[in-house]
Amino acid sequence: MAEETIFSKIIRKEIPADILYQDDLVTAFRDITPRAPSHILIIPNKLIPTINDVEESDELALGRLFTVARKLAEQENIAEDGYRLIVNCNSHGGQEVYHVHMHLLGGKPLGPLLMD
Ligand code: 5GP
């Protein structure tokens, strides 16, 4: 059984977070250390530690990350200018919190993706 992270407590509203959206499958809240004017994390409510742990039964929740990202981008007024979605996996991918999350970043030009 995977160990819970702070994100499970945010989902259950046991610790404060600026929650922008929640349904039965996913929760979205503002990143505590924003790296762009809009920096939102969208996560499955189910604890999936990394993308390496994803199963076919998770497809509905993981697909919903994208539809919620689209809606929040519209809400944040960044849809037309554009934005970036990032999912980090394990240490080489820069993952710090072991509960799968999609970063939605926008509100300024983000430049080219760092590849090195
Ligand atoms: P990762 O590096 O794992 O892809 O990203 C984890 C993200 O979670 C970071 O951007 C970090 O700022 C954010 N984060 C970590 N702890 C908290 C928290 O307690 N609340 C919120 N809202 N964001 C957090």
Side-chain angles (χ1 to χ4, degrees):
M1 178 93 174
E3 208 162 304
E4 279 194 0
T5 74
I6 195 122
F7 288 179
S8 290
K9 294 191 169 71
I10 288 175
I11 291 164
R12 295 196 297 264
K13 301 187 172 140
E14 291 169 6
I15 63 159
D18 189 356
I19 294 179
L20 302 174
Y21 179 88
Q22 187 166 49
D23 64 22
D24 55 325
L25 290 177
V26 306
T27 300
F29 50 94
R30 291 197 192 278
D31 196 292
I32 204 166
T33 312
R35 258 57 61 83
S38 288
H39 187 175
I40 296 166
L41 301 173
I42 313 166
I43 72 177
N45 294 339
K46 176 189 166 190
L47 170 51
I48 307 168
T50 81
I51 292 297
N52 291 338
D53 303 300
V54 161
E55 295 171 356
E56 283 178 15
S57 58
D58 299 321
E59 285 176 0
L60 189 60
L62 297 176
R64 192 162 298 176
L65 300 182
F66 283 90
T67 49
V68 171
R70 192 260 295 163
K71 286 176 190 165
L72 289 175
E74 285 166 9
Q75 205 172 294
E76 294 281 300
N77 262 316
I78 59 173
E80 201 174 311
D81 284 337
Y83 50 91
R84 183 170 292 159
L85 302 174
I86 299 174
V87 181
N88 296 323
C89 181
N90 276 344
S91 59
H92 282 196
Q95 184 173 6
E96 288 174 358
V97 178
Y98 283 79
H99 182 135
V100 163
H101 49 281
M102 175 186 278
H103 295 258
L104 165 60
L105 294 146
K108 68 171 186 183
L110 296 169
L113 188 61
L114 256 184
M115 297 299 279
D116 51 3

